[in-house]
Amino acid sequence: MSHVRIGVYALTGGTAEEAGDRAQKGMLSVFRDQPGFKAYGLAETREGKLISVSLWDSGEQAQQANELAATWVSENLADRIRLESTQVGDFMFFESA
């Protein structure tokens, strides 16, 4: 079973697209270098929140991703986003067309 890490961020400056571009170029690289990494994505809600979702082989790896993300965000996006909450849990399924 895979494990998921979800982070919810408030946009505090700039645009969601700018934050997303930075995350794709930076956070994705950090995650890719970690053992157990499976996938990463970022979404914007209608309320202007950013939702970060990453998949991992183990719950421990997903939890470690919280620490990695916090460090990376504080060094690279602190002027644009603020962490509101994180969750780690079992990923039950994903289906695509």
Side-chain angles (χ1 to χ4, degrees):
M1 175 179 291
S2 294
H3 299 268
V4 63
R5 181 254 177 204
I6 300 170
V8 179
Y9 298 87
L11 188 64
T12 59
T15 67
E17 291 80 14
E18 291 168 341
D21 287 345
R22 285 191 190 182
Q24 187 174 21
K25 292 174 185 163
M27 187 77 260
L28 179 57
S29 295
V30 170
F31 281 168
R32 279 187 174 148
D33 288 342
Q34 301 307 306
F37 171 75
K38 291 185 165 198
Y40 171 64
L42 189 67
E44 180 185 15
T45 70
R46 289 183 179 166
E47 295 79 23
K49 306 289 183 185
L50 296 176
I51 310 297
S52 168
V53 179
S54 56
L55 297 179
W56 302 88
D57 285 334
S58 75
E60 184 178 296
Q61 292 163 337
Q63 188 62 44
Q64 176 65 27
N66 275 333
E67 296 170 27
L68 292 168
T71 299
W72 189 87
V73 167
S74 71
E75 294 173 356
N76 297 277
L77 282 176
D79 62 331
R80 296 178 184 268
I81 63 174
R82 180 186 73 251
L83 179 66
E84 292 193 339
S85 68
T86 61
Q87 296 287 319
V88 171
D90 296 336
F91 192 76
M92 297 172 69
F93 74 90
F94 178 82
E95 184 177 327
S96 62

